[in-house]
Amino acid sequence: MPENHNQYLTTSEFAKTCGVTKHTLFHYDEIGLLKPEYTNSKGYRYYSIPQSYTLDIINVLKKAGSSLQEIKGFMQNQNTPLLLELLKQKLDVLEVERNKIKRMQSLLKGAIEMTEQAQGKADDGPSIEECEEEYFIAIQLQQGDGDKEFAHKLSEHREYCEHHFIDCEFPIWTILGKDRLESGDYYADYIANRLKTPIPGERMIIKPKGRYVIMNHRGSYETMPVTYSIINKYISSKGMAISGSAYSVDLLNYLAEKNPDNYVIQISVEVSDC
């Protein structure tokens, strides 16, 4: 043992002083990240006070998101430029994670608000409303796509929005073009999410400002043609014509309700005077 042995701490003392566990110190010793200053003939480990600074570096880099392997590499080649490079990398990673968390918080708040509103929705008939311009991020569906392809496109759409940090609302929308709507083919042309602000790019779709016939459909997706039929008859009875697309949004769907008969889907169809 060194002559100034009073300057050294046992594993228990060092762990307590630095706020870590003995198991952590044993693991760091095993992987060569932080070895004791010396080990006596009986195998007892002893640490020096300056090693607490080394442990502090390890803890800081761990909290910044560095792996133990990354930290070990840094400790073996420790210098100021390397530290700056490592910290900047971790700052970039944390910024990405911060944006992910911020986006998810926004999505969850929107989902809560939409679900709470949907619970109080009555099954009223169609009505006419003046709507403001809205913006959507969308992915196109092809004619003849089945449920399997729809699920694939939905997954692709969500991945795109997440990867590009698109600031959109939670509920899923579908957009049905005027031609399909008039022909009675109610398979959607687009899967979409509403944007809080417009963004550049070909994936953005603008819902025009104007008059819309709006009706809440309660039931499964398969029974939506019944509601579309009611809407079409209502439009004709009011002496109006379909002038644009139909936009439908899931207020309550499979995420909230196990029984499809309890789904609530709001449908809006752009109309004009004949």
Side-chain angles (χ1 to χ4, degrees):
M1 179 178 289
E3 294 180 0
N4 57 340
H5 60 274
N6 290 332
Q7 298 299 315
Y8 289 86
L9 303 173
T10 65
T11 301
S12 295
E13 291 171 335
F14 189 69
K16 184 176 181 180
T17 299
C18 298
V20 298
T21 65
K22 290 171 60 176
H23 176 76
T24 297
L25 295 177
F26 292 153
H27 181 58
Y28 289 173
D29 185 9
E30 290 173 2
I31 65 175
L33 180 58
L34 177 61
K35 288 189 168 295
E37 189 76 17
Y38 77 93
T39 303
N40 68 13
S41 59
K42 294 183 179 180
Y44 292 112
R45 298 171 171 88
Y46 291 88
Y47 295 84
S48 65
I49 296 300
Q51 284 187 294
S52 64
Y53 305 139
T54 301
L55 187 57
D56 189 48
I57 294 172
I58 294 171
N59 289 335
V60 168
L61 294 179
K62 273 185 66 179
K63 290 178 180 178
S66 296
S67 66
L68 294 181
Q69 193 62 36
E70 286 178 315
I71 297 171
K72 183 178 178 180
F74 168 73
M75 300 298 293
Q76 291 172 342
N77 303 278
Q78 186 177 4
N79 58 67
T80 300
L82 185 59
L83 175 63
L84 287 174
E85 180 184 355
L86 182 59
L87 293 180
K88 287 178 181 179
Q89 287 176 355
K90 296 310 168 185
L91 184 61
D92 289 341
V93 171
L94 289 174
E95 182 65 19
V96 170
E97 291 302 315
R98 187 185 72 85
N99 288 332
K100 286 183 178 179
I101 293 172
K102 183 179 178 181
R103 179 176 180 273
M104 184 53 65
Q105 286 176 323
S106 178
L107 289 173
L108 292 179
K109 287 179 181 178
I112 292 170
E113 292 174 2
M114 184 68 74
T115 304
E116 288 178 342
Q117 291 175 11
Q119 286 182 312
K121 291 287 184 180
D123 296 332
D124 297 329
S127 61
I128 301 173
E129 294 184 18
E130 292 290 335
C131 298
E132 296 298 320
E133 184 174 88
E134 294 179 306
Y135 311 96
F136 293 87
I137 181 76
I139 186 170
Q140 189 169 13
L141 297 167
Q142 300 300 322
Q143 189 170 5
D145 286 351
D147 291 342
K148 183 177 180 180
E149 183 62 18
F150 185 96
H152 172 73
K153 288 290 181 64
L154 177 58
S155 178
E156 181 182 335
H157 173 68
R158 283 174 168 160
E159 184 176 346
Y160 177 89
C161 292
E162 182 175 350
H163 180 73
H164 291 85
F165 302 108
I166 304 298
D167 188 14
C168 58
E169 297 179 355
F170 178 80
I172 290 294
W173 292 66
T174 56
I175 302 174
L176 176 63
K178 179 175 179 289
D179 292 341
R180 285 197 185 183
L181 184 59
E182 291 179 326
S183 69
D185 176 9
Y186 300 121
Y187 189 81
D189 290 292
Y190 295 92
I191 299 171
N193 287 87
R194 188 165 60 184
L195 294 165
K196 295 184 178 180
T197 56
I199 60 173
E202 60 183 13
R203 285 182 179 248
M204 191 184 80
I205 290 178
I206 299 175
K207 177 187 173 185
K209 177 180 179 180
R211 276 188 298 170
Y212 288 81
V213 170
I214 298 176
M215 183 175 176
N216 291 328
H217 165 78
R218 183 176 291 277
S220 68
Y221 300 123
E222 288 74 19
T223 60
M224 287 181 68
V226 175
T227 301
Y228 275 117
S229 178
I230 295 172
I231 291 173
N232 287 336
K233 290 178 181 178
Y234 178 82
I235 292 172
S236 297
S237 71
K238 294 295 183 179
M240 298 183 297
I242 297 171
S243 60
S245 299
Y247 303 81
S248 62
V249 56
D250 290 3
L251 302 182
L252 285 179
N253 62 8
Y254 56 86
L255 291 174
E257 292 289 341
K258 186 174 183 179
N259 186 352
D261 292 339
N262 293 329
Y263 294 176
V264 178
I265 303 162
Q266 186 178 87
I267 302 173
S268 305
V269 179
E270 187 181 5
V271 296
S272 63
D273 294 329
C274 290

